[in-house]
Amino acid sequence: MRYLKPFKVTIATTVALIFIQSLTELYLPTLMSDIIDQGVVSKDIPYIWKVGGLMLFVTGVGTLAAITASYFAAKVSMKYGRDLRYRVFSRVAEFSLTEMNQVGTASLITRTTNDVTQVQTVLNVMLRMMAQAPLMAIGGIIMASSKDAKLSLVVIGAIPILFLVILFIIKKAIPLFKTVQIKLDNVNRVLRENLTGVRVVRSFNRLDYEKARFNDANRELTDTTIKVNKIMAVMMPSMMLVMNLTQIAIVWFGGLRINAGAMQVGDLMAFIQYAMQIMFSMVILSMMFVLIPRASASAERINEVLAIRT
């Protein structure tokens, strides 16, 4: 995190643009509700054109803000990755043989390439999504409550269930992320030893033995990665199930409230959109929970290299 200081202004600009994008997305369902309740129901065509034009303008502002924010996020993350790789390489270049052997050449290669890429990727995603998810969740709850406070209890009740699903899956997956990086180190180590010692391997006719060594390391990496992916694959279907059940509950209870005259059709449609925005913000947060532990493991490995004093 300390290496992000040179990008403070760009990061602040990115967050501001994401804030604007979030506001536009939160405003659109309300405009749609007004079109239905005040325009379509009363057959007021000029009002529909007026609000429809405003919706197009708001959408344009949100799209422009999203594109610009993505550009700045990519720019910051790429430059950050470049600087971090240079710092790691510069530190490794000063290592003595003892320090080089302390970490291992193969591990140093992985830390300079794969680990930095993991951190860089998460930074890019965090800049675009980490600020947006809380804004969309909090704003969505406020706007949904303004449409119908009683119906919003359905959404508020679904959020803890989503969090329990996320926490259960992450708890199973986190210990395996660091193991994946270690297995990748092993593959790089065996590959490097074979490439640098290819003449010795051929001279002593050890090609079959080295193939077996590489296959073992490769299989261990594959098995561990598949195990992680199997765990993570459960997350999205589970969350979609909760989201769809929540939407069914909203339509059911919303229909009862419309029938009772306590709610309008446009408000229900806007409420459904706000509920989906809240749920998708939870999905975005779950993606963060997936990426951050893996990046954290990579960051620890990078810091180990940077902390070694020559």
Side-chain angles (χ1 to χ4, degrees):
M1 296 296 291
R2 61 188 181 274
Y3 298 128
L4 286 174
K5 289 181 180 179
F7 311 108
K8 286 189 293 185
V9 176
T10 311
I11 291 172
T13 305
T14 304
V15 173
L17 288 167
I18 289 170
F19 181 72
I20 293 170
Q21 178 195 354
S22 300
L23 289 179
T24 59
E25 290 184 12
L26 288 169
Y27 189 37
L28 285 172
T30 297
L31 292 174
M32 182 200 66
S33 174
D34 291 341
I35 285 180
I36 293 170
D37 292 336
Q38 299 179 38
V40 175
V41 173
S42 59
K43 298 180 181 179
D44 189 345
I45 304 300
Y47 184 83
I48 294 173
W49 278 105
K50 178 184 173 182
V51 180
L54 180 58
M55 286 184 73
L56 286 173
F57 174 74
V58 171
T59 302
V61 171
T63 302
L64 184 62
I67 292 170
T68 311
S70 296
Y71 170 76
F72 282 130
K75 191 174 181 180
V76 169
S77 60
M78 292 300 108
K79 288 186 175 181
Y80 172 79
R82 177 200 64 191
D83 294 348
L84 192 57
R85 272 190 295 270
Y86 176 75
R87 290 176 187 274
V88 174
F89 178 81
S90 299
R91 182 56 55 84
V92 171
E94 298 172 355
F95 280 1
S96 63
L97 281 175
T98 303
E99 290 159 342
M100 194 78 72
N101 292 330
Q102 177 184 334
V103 183
T105 306
S107 182
L108 288 172
I109 293 171
T110 306
R111 295 178 198 222
T112 310
T113 54
N114 187 271
D115 284 325
V116 171
T117 302
Q118 293 290 343
V119 176
Q120 176 182 298
T121 302
V122 168
L123 175 62
N124 187 12
V125 176
M126 282 181 67
L127 286 174
R128 290 186 294 111
M129 295 184 177
M130 199 65 172
Q132 185 182 16
L135 287 171
M136 294 297 293
I138 296 169
I141 290 171
I142 293 170
M143 296 300 290
S145 299
S146 69
K147 293 297 178 185
D148 194 301
K150 290 184 178 179
L151 195 57
S152 64
L153 293 175
V154 176
V155 180
I156 294 171
I159 291 174
I161 299 173
L162 281 174
F163 269 115
L164 287 174
V165 172
I166 294 168
L167 288 174
F168 175 77
I169 293 171
I170 295 302
K171 188 177 179 181
K172 296 287 185 182
I174 284 176
L176 294 172
F177 286 129
K178 196 165 186 177
T179 305
V180 169
Q181 298 303 109
I182 293 170
K183 300 296 183 186
L184 186 59
D185 283 348
N186 291 336
V187 171
N188 283 339
R189 177 176 55 79
V190 174
L191 183 60
R192 178 182 170 277
E193 289 172 356
N194 273 273
L195 292 174
T196 55
V198 62
R199 292 183 179 179
V200 177
V201 171
R202 289 177 179 175
S203 298
F204 288 90
N205 196 23
R206 303 289 288 175
L207 190 59
D208 291 338
Y209 171 76
E210 294 300 329
K211 281 182 179 179
R213 281 184 66 214
F214 182 82
N215 283 336
D216 290 341
N218 193 24
R219 185 168 56 252
E220 287 178 5
L221 173 62
T222 303
D223 292 344
T224 307
T225 305
I226 289 173
K227 190 174 181 180
V228 173
N229 288 337
K230 280 181 178 179
I231 294 171
M232 300 314 302
V234 177
M235 180 178 287
M236 191 55 67
S238 301
M239 297 191 72
M240 291 304 297
L241 177 63
V242 175
M243 288 173 63
N244 289 332
L245 290 174
T246 303
Q247 191 168 357
I248 290 170
I250 290 169
V251 173
W252 175 267
F253 291 111
L256 293 176
R257 290 188 64 75
I258 291 172
N259 192 46
M263 193 179 192
Q264 292 182 307
V265 175
D267 286 340
L268 177 59
M269 293 182 69
F271 190 95
I272 291 171
Q273 288 198 31
Y274 285 129
M276 290 304 101
Q277 287 177 348
I278 295 166
M279 293 296 176
F280 275 116
S281 69
M282 297 297 108
V283 173
I284 291 171
L285 285 175
S286 72
M287 291 172 61
M288 292 295 97
F289 287 134
V290 171
L291 293 172
I292 287 173
R294 187 166 186 178
S296 177
S298 295
E300 286 179 15
R301 287 157 54 85
I302 292 168
N303 278 329
E304 286 174 6
V305 176
L306 297 174
I308 297 174
R309 299 295 174 185
T310 55

